[in-house]
Amino acid sequence: PSANRARQRACVAMSDDPLFDARNHFHLGHYQTAINEAMGASVGTDALRIERDVLMYRAYLEQGNFAIVMSEVQDSAPPALRAVKLLCQYKQSDDAGRQAVVASLQELLAGANAANNVPLAVTAAAIFCLEKDYKEALKCTHQGQSLEAQAMVTHIYAAMNRADLAEKQVAIMQRSDDDATLTQLASATAMIAKGGGKYQDALYIYQDMSEKYGPSPFLLNNLATCCMLLGKYEDAESHLQEALGKNPSDPTTLANMVVCLQHLKKGADVVTRYITQLRTAAPSHPWVEAYGATERTFDRCAAQLSR
């Protein structure tokens, strides 16, 4: 009966929302399918056209197709689309460039009607999360009524190590639509934040999503994360190998693979190979920057001891 209700809700949502499929695939990490669905969606209002384009360009961004976003999103585009372009710039910038992006984003958020612009708010929150400025990220989304905004709030609370607040936010989403993909994914995020026996429950959610919609690198990485938290490193490696088969240069997969292989005590040459791939694919990735900082600290200490 619950499965039937879920299907009925999905059918109603699809009939009311021409972007339902595109949005669903985007959140599941099936970015090319999301792009295809967005391009084929029949949208009749300016607001829906903007939201379609935001979904499409964010999917291109997640694929690493930065050039498409930079060339097609004009400086005269609506604020939500300019925020996507800023997110693209942020991901390619050094520290100075990132601060310039944040300054430009603050100008966008100061504009008229910015507070009611959900695509702008969610994208802005994503940039602030990359900055680890969770206070600003929450300011963008904490009053949002959409599932997208509420899921972002859950992610922010989890990043702040506030599992209690993440769980409360998920409860709000469940009262709105317990069966929605975003609610299920947010629930898994809160479970991982809580830890302990909840890791297995989160694993079941990602398994269910993978069986329903097919495994994406996003879902496979989350499965691998749960497996590593449960100490199942061989299972995690299997999920990560499958993810690499779908996208050999995905930075998240490469970073997780480095961690997983170290736990499995694989040879240094194998681990180094993945580190090299990660550095090439995403030189500004947080893991790469942290690793580089550790290397520089080690070199300084070694130089001092050798004097």
Side-chain angles (χ1 to χ4, degrees):
S2 62
N4 289 334
R5 284 198 302 273
R7 281 192 290 270
Q8 289 169 358
R9 286 183 185 178
C11 289
V12 171
M14 290 171 66
S15 63
D16 293 341
D17 179 6
L19 295 174
F20 177 86
D21 283 336
R23 192 180 294 108
N24 206 51
H25 286 298
F26 174 81
H27 294 308
L28 289 163
H30 291 294
Y31 300 119
Q32 188 57 51
T33 306
I35 291 167
N36 296 343
E37 291 287 350
M39 292 176 70
S42 178
V43 290
T45 67
D46 287 342
L48 279 173
R49 278 190 285 274
I50 291 169
E51 188 175 356
R52 175 201 62 194
D53 290 348
V54 167
L55 272 170
M56 182 178 70
Y57 286 121
R58 284 205 65 185
Y60 277 124
L61 189 52
E62 292 298 330
Q63 289 182 327
N65 288 320
F66 299 146
I68 291 176
V69 178
M70 295 303 296
S71 65
E72 295 188 10
V73 179
Q74 304 300 311
D75 292 338
S76 58
L81 283 168
R82 279 185 277 158
V84 176
K85 189 171 185 176
L86 286 174
L87 177 58
C88 184
Q89 290 172 327
Y90 186 97
K91 290 193 171 191
Q92 301 176 86
S93 297
D94 57 15
D95 286 341
R98 291 171 194 161
Q99 294 314 304
V101 166
V102 170
S104 297
L105 180 62
Q106 293 285 17
E107 291 179 12
L108 275 184
L109 293 172
N113 299 318
N116 300 317
N117 190 328
V118 175
L120 169 59
V122 172
T123 305
I127 294 173
F128 285 126
C129 283
L130 291 173
E131 273 284 287
K132 294 184 169 55
D133 189 345
Y134 302 120
K135 180 179 178 181
E136 287 297 319
L138 279 174
K139 281 170 61 177
C140 294
T141 52
H142 78 285
Q143 292 184 328
Q145 300 300 308
S146 70
L147 285 179
E148 283 84 1
Q150 292 172 352
M152 178 59 77
V153 171
T154 304
H155 170 77
I156 295 165
Y157 284 143
M160 294 171 64
N161 295 316
R162 290 300 306 269
D164 56 329
L165 296 178
E167 286 183 313
K168 289 180 181 178
Q169 189 64 45
V170 168
I172 294 171
M173 297 177 70
Q174 289 171 334
R175 288 195 291 271
S176 175
D177 190 347
D178 188 27
D179 298 314
T181 295
L182 265 179
T183 303
Q184 294 296 308
L185 293 174
S187 180
T189 297
M191 289 171 181
I192 291 174
K194 188 172 181 64
K198 293 294 185 179
Y199 294 144
Q200 188 66 53
D201 294 335
L203 181 68
Y204 290 145
I205 289 175
Y206 293 124
Q207 285 176 334
D208 184 55
M209 293 287 108
S210 295
E211 290 169 5
K212 278 184 182 177
Y213 302 105
S216 65
F218 166 77
L219 291 173
L220 289 165
N221 269 279
N222 280 292
L223 281 167
T225 298
C226 291
C227 287
M228 284 192 279
L229 290 168
L230 290 165
K232 301 177 179 179
Y233 296 107
E234 290 183 355
D235 290 344
E237 183 187 11
S238 176
H239 291 309
L240 293 171
Q241 290 288 6
E242 186 176 354
L244 285 174
K246 295 177 179 296
N247 185 355
S249 59
D250 178 57
T252 302
T253 308
L254 292 168
N256 281 330
M257 183 64 87
V258 169
V259 174
C260 182
L261 294 180
Q262 287 176 324
H263 280 286
L264 287 170
K265 303 188 187 306
K266 292 296 178 77
D269 57 330
V270 177
V271 176
T272 300
R273 190 178 306 129
Y274 283 109
I275 292 173
T276 300
Q277 284 182 257
L278 177 56
R279 281 177 153 162
T280 303
S284 61
H285 188 276
W287 192 95
V288 173
E289 292 187 342
Y291 186 79
T294 302
E295 281 187 322
R296 289 189 294 273
T297 301
F298 179 85
D299 289 343
R300 282 197 302 270
C301 292
Q304 289 172 353
L305 290 171
S306 65
R307 289 174 184 171

